[in-house]
Amino acid sequence: MARIVVAQEAGACFGVERALGMVRNAAREATAPVHTLGPLIHNPRVVAQLAADGVGVVEDSSEVPAGDVLFMRTHGVAPHVEERARELGLQVIDATCPFVKKVHVAAERLEREGYQVIVVGEAGHPEVEGTVGHAPGALVVGCVADLDGVNIARRVGLVVQTTLAQDTLREVVAALIGRCDELRVMDTICDATSKRQEAAAELARRADVMVVIGGRNSANTTHLAQICAAACKRTHHIELPEELDATWFEGAELVGITAGASTPAEQIDEVRVRIERLLP
Ligand code: SF4
């Protein structure tokens, strides 16, 4: 019978597990209705389960009646977003990942100390927008080309989107050397993403079939599936255990499983159990 191996680093990261726990507790114990500002994570199953537990999703705090509970999700928000929610009389609970909080604190401090703050990350990403809210004069740089023709101050302070690739940070730092007198780099990259990618690639090289679990709207899960497909042709990206097909596993000796940072452990277990049943 084929062996099933789950990648050493797979599934929900610390920040997502923490936020999920906080919201589930609130849904059980809060005396008022609970909402999240945007979907809590990019995992439609989890969002649907939370909805069944009475947790709604809103796009703006003005949609929430006074007195209700409103969660700020792991990506974090600009200070004015939280302030407005409190002014509207909402019970605000902050589920921002502590690693994202570190980025906010670093950006604020650098700006206060007179540095030109550069946020290295993807413009428009909610985490980056939240960080810019903490250092309103900050410039967002996604790649070296974004620095072309930009005035760079003598003292520059960098903070980094938590999920950015180390290589991009290195390139931006290299491009700034020589364009300023002082360059402070706060390496705020969280290694949850890179660890999942390295573990998935290692397993995919050995596996006959790879199953990648997570929302199709999750960028990090889709990227994991691409990494696995490059090493293992029989890679399948699924959201639900019901999508598994027995024919995928014919002749396989090693079936690998991995999951994106927004996939809770129980969804990995469900898939593992179902594959066990499908194996010849
Ligand atoms: S990837 Fe890292 S920074 Fe982002 S939520 Fe997970 S633990 Fe926090």
Side-chain angles (χ1 to χ4, degrees):
M1 185 159 152
R3 267 194 321 136
I4 302 172
V5 177
V6 178
Q8 281 209 331
E9 299 274 347
C13 59
F14 157 76
V16 165
E17 288 283 12
R18 175 177 174 274
L20 258 176
M22 288 170 78
V23 174
R24 283 175 175 155
N25 274 346
R28 265 196 310 273
E29 291 163 14
T31 49
V34 177
H35 314 262
T36 61
L37 188 58
L40 187 67
I41 53 176
H42 288 142
N43 184 309
R45 271 191 80 192
V46 171
V47 174
Q49 281 162 358
L50 289 173
D53 292 339
V55 179
V57 179
V58 295
E59 291 307 320
D60 191 276
S61 52
S62 61
E63 297 167 43
V64 182
D68 282 10
V69 175
L70 182 64
F71 267 91
M72 303 296 154
R73 56 190 180 166
T74 51
H75 289 319
V77 293
H80 70 87
V81 174
E82 196 171 328
E83 277 158 25
R84 181 164 149 68
R86 289 190 197 282
E87 280 164 15
L88 288 167
L90 312 184
Q91 302 180 54
V92 176
I93 304 184
D94 187 1
T96 305
C97 176
F99 298 135
V100 176
K101 280 272 182 209
K102 269 173 67 178
V103 189
H104 294 172
V105 170
E108 275 175 14
R109 200 184 58 233
L110 288 167
E111 190 158 275
R112 208 171 41 240
E113 292 175 356
Y115 290 89
Q116 177 186 23
V117 177
I118 294 183
V119 182
V120 189
E122 184 191 334
H125 187 286
E127 181 191 315
V128 172
E129 285 186 352
T131 301
V132 171
H134 286 262
L139 177 72
V140 178
V141 168
C143 62
V144 172
D146 291 345
L147 292 167
D148 288 350
V150 172
N151 280 334
I152 299 297
R154 302 183 77 97
R155 299 170 73 222
V156 174
L158 290 193
V159 296
V160 195
Q161 184 179 348
T162 53
T163 48
L164 195 87
Q166 287 279 358
D167 285 351
T168 309
L169 173 60
R170 277 193 208 103
E171 286 162 18
V172 171
V173 169
L176 283 167
I177 291 172
R179 287 182 67 178
C180 53
D181 296 340
E182 183 186 350
L183 179 60
R184 283 198 71 186
V185 180
M186 310 304 288
D187 181 355
T188 45
I189 292 176
C190 161
D191 60 6
T193 306
S194 59
K195 278 185 175 166
R196 274 156 189 69
Q197 291 173 353
E198 283 159 20
E202 187 278 325
L203 182 55
R205 282 194 288 273
R206 296 187 283 129
D208 300 300
V209 180
M210 277 300 291
V211 175
V212 183
I213 316 160
R216 293 196 171 82
N217 60 347
S218 154
N220 83 77
T221 308
T222 305
H223 194 199
L224 266 188
Q226 289 163 346
I227 288 170
C228 291
C232 173
K233 284 200 171 57
R234 294 165 69 183
T235 292
H236 303 274
H237 178 176
I238 62 165
E239 268 184 14
L240 304 168
E242 295 76 31
E243 294 172 47
L244 292 165
D245 183 332
T247 61
W248 296 351
F249 307 107
E250 283 169 3
E253 287 180 9
L254 179 61
V255 176
I257 300 177
T258 188
S262 46
T263 305
E266 61 262 25
Q267 289 189 7
I268 301 177
D269 284 343
E270 281 172 21
V271 168
R272 190 179 45 73
V273 168
R274 197 165 173 113
I275 293 176
E276 271 168 12
R277 294 205 194 109
L278 291 174
L279 286 176

